[in-house]
């Protein structure tokens, strides 16, 4: 069964290793493994940096050394009046970066939603609870955030809040697994992944959560994203066998396969002009960020080191944000669409991933 990018399905890849740990460590190890497999802790993070994937037939663009000069010491969170931690800037602002990035941040107990203001590199943690919060995206006007919250067990519902983390509203109530919500450019519709009908498929609903409609059928489809003009939706699906990127009209018609590559990831994003998609591909611990034209041409690789996942374009199309394990921990980075100006965005002792850029 396919899992959306970042879901706990990756835990099963390490079961054999963890089983060996249990035999050695005894009862305490067994309890840790049980919690890990049942979702009591966050998703596992890569164990080590990976060997660079040989370029072979896939062209790649060498990335530059991360910009921004020497990194000042990490400053731990402080608690403001709201009770949620605000991270004082640990990295220097880059004047070429603008807007905000919402992402998943692990707080040591579970996944939460954090917001990075690129103007001053200040991070605010917007959620703080004992359930999982992830798969966030910013609304096109930059004033709201959509995300998936764990309600009970495998039941994740779609929620909305304002940019300050207030006015939280639950939009779905179907008791299923609902993920990866994204508001349409005109602000009227939300596309998301749901298994409300059985297998995970792409669904569409009104911005207030009403009138849910299933768009895809057959084999599983996940991780939808809107084209800038709101007329097309890109998503990942194994409908043709292996998981690949597809695009379709916003009403679910005119499906077209974009990629034909092994070991494809799920999350993708359109360029500002709607003519290209960024995505990730490769074996676990050795995944890389790519660009490809929507017609399937002009494939190029943007990263050459470590494990890199979950890319998202900036609204102006000048940058791509992604999560990378290159410093020994999942952090957010940005790179130009030509592979240059690799820039680190977060410096957190715990994992940051699933970035989505907005105004």
């Amino acid at each position: 069964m396919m899992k959306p990018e970042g879901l706990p399905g990756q835990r099963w890849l390490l079961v054999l290793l963890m089983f060996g740990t249990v035999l050695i460590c005894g009862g305490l190890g067994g309890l840790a493994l049980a919690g890990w497999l049942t979702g009591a802790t966050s998703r596992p993070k890569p164990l080590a940096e990976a060997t660079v994937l040989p370029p072979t037939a896939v062209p790649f663009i060498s990335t530059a050394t991360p910009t921004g000069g020497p990194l000042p010491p990490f400053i731990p969170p402080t608690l403001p009046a709201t009770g949620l931690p605000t991270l004082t800037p640990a990295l220097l602002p880059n004047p070429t970066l603008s807007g905000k990035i919402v992402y998943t941040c692990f707080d040591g107990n579970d996944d939460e939603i954090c917001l990075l203001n690129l103007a001053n590199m200040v991070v605010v943690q917007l959620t703080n609870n004992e359930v999982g919060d992830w798969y966030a995206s910013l609304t096109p006007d930059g004033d709201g955030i959509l995300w998936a919250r764990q309600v009970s067990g495998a039941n994740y519902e779609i929620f909305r809040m304002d940019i300050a983390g207030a006015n939280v509203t639950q939009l779905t109530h179907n008791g299923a697994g609902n993920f990866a919500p994204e508001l349409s450019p005109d602000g009227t519709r939300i596309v998301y992944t749901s298994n409300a009908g059985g297998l995970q498929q792409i669904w569409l609903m009104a911005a207030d959560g009403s009138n849910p409609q299933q768009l895809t059928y057959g084999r599983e489809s996940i991780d939808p994203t809107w084209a800038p003009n709101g007329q097309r939706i890109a998503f990942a699906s194994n409908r043709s066998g292996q998981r690949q990127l597809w695009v379709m009209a916003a009403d679910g018609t005119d499906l077209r396969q974009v990629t034909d590559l092994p070991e494809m990831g799920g999350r993708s994003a359109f360029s500002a002009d709607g003519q290209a998609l960024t995505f990730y591909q490769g074996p676990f611990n050795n995944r890389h960020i790519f660009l490809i034209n929507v017609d399937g041409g002009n494939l190029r690789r943007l990263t050459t080191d470590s494990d890199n996942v979950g890319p998202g374009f900036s609204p102006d199309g000048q940058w791509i944000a992604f999560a990378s394990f290159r410093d020994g921990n999942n952090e957010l980075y940005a790179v130009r669409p030509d592979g240059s100006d690799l820039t680190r965005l977060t410096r957190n002792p715990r994992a940051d991933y699933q970035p989505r850029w907005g105004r």
Side-chain angles (χ1 to χ4, degrees):
M1 176 176 177
M2 293 173 61
K3 299 285 185 181
E5 184 266 309
L7 278 181
Q10 291 180 358
R11 297 173 181 143
W12 301 106
L13 296 177
L14 303 179
V15 166
L16 293 179
L17 292 176
M18 293 298 295
F19 182 72
T21 302
V22 171
L23 293 178
I24 296 172
C25 299
L28 290 177
L31 290 174
L33 177 59
W36 180 58
L37 292 176
T38 56
T41 60
S42 178
R43 63 188 286 273
K45 308 304 183 290
L47 297 178
E49 288 199 11
T51 303
V52 175
L53 180 67
T56 59
V58 179
F60 70 92
I61 303 170
S62 297
T63 55
T65 302
T67 60
L71 299 178
F74 174 78
I75 301 175
T78 58
L79 291 176
T82 60
L84 297 178
T86 298
L87 302 186
T88 304
L91 297 175
L92 301 176
N94 183 331
T96 66
L97 300 172
S98 62
K100 299 178 179 66
I101 294 177
V102 66
Y103 61 97
T104 303
C105 51
F106 183 64
D107 68 357
N109 296 307
D110 49 38
D111 292 313
E112 305 290 354
I113 303 301
C114 282
L115 185 70
L116 168 64
N117 187 335
L118 292 165
N120 52 21
M121 299 304 289
V122 169
V123 174
V124 177
Q125 184 179 317
L126 299 177
T127 62
N128 187 21
N129 51 63
E130 296 181 357
V131 297
D133 291 291
W134 57 5
Y135 267 111
S137 65
L138 282 153
T139 57
D141 59 11
D143 292 335
I145 293 170
L146 300 172
W147 84 101
R149 167 170 285 178
Q150 183 181 25
V151 175
S152 176
N155 172 211
Y156 283 76
E157 303 289 356
I158 304 302
F159 285 75
R160 180 171 181 162
M161 61 182 165
D162 63 32
I163 202 70
N167 299 315
V168 174
T169 303
Q170 184 174 341
L171 300 180
T172 60
H173 301 81
N174 56 28
N178 305 279
F179 307 98
E182 191 171 296
L183 188 64
S184 60
D186 65 3
T188 63
R189 298 164 293 170
I190 296 172
V191 68
Y192 61 105
T193 302
S194 179
N195 60 8
L199 294 177
Q200 292 196 43
Q201 300 290 351
I202 309 303
W203 286 66
L204 194 66
M205 63 181 172
D208 63 0
S210 64
N211 194 28
Q213 301 176 18
Q214 186 173 334
L215 294 184
T216 60
Y217 295 86
R219 300 185 72 175
E220 290 184 318
S221 298
I222 61 172
D223 287 347
T225 187
W226 289 98
N229 61 9
Q231 296 180 7
R232 290 183 294 178
I233 296 169
F235 62 100
S237 178
N238 64 2
R239 61 195 312 111
S240 62
Q242 290 187 335
R243 181 190 293 178
Q244 302 295 337
L245 282 188
W246 291 71
V247 295
M248 63 181 173
D251 63 359
T253 63
D254 191 24
L255 280 76
R256 301 179 185 182
Q257 185 174 331
V258 177
T259 61
D260 187 12
L261 298 167
E263 299 181 285
M264 284 288 296
R267 222 162 201 206
S268 64
F270 278 93
S271 58
D273 61 6
Q275 298 304 304
L277 286 164
T278 183
F279 65 94
Y280 69 98
Q281 178 269 346
F284 181 67
N285 270 358
N286 194 14
R287 295 165 290 187
H288 289 283
I289 307 302
F290 287 79
L291 268 179
I292 192 170
N293 290 356
V294 175
D295 64 8
N298 196 21
L299 175 68
R300 56 268 198 204
R301 192 172 84 184
L302 306 183
T303 57
T304 60
D305 299 313
S306 191
D307 194 40
N308 312 274
V309 297
F313 261 102
S314 61
D316 62 8
Q318 299 301 305
W319 293 91
I320 295 170
F322 61 98
S324 179
F325 198 68
R326 64 189 60 232
D327 75 332
N329 176 40
N330 280 328
E331 300 285 0
L332 303 188
Y333 285 78
V335 69
R336 298 282 192 178
D338 64 359
S340 65
D341 292 344
L342 179 67
T343 302
R344 186 173 177 171
L345 300 178
T346 62
R347 192 179 186 204
N348 187 347
R350 301 188 177 102
D352 299 322
Y353 62 106
Q354 293 179 338
R356 264 320 195 229
W357 210 315
R359 301 187 187 283

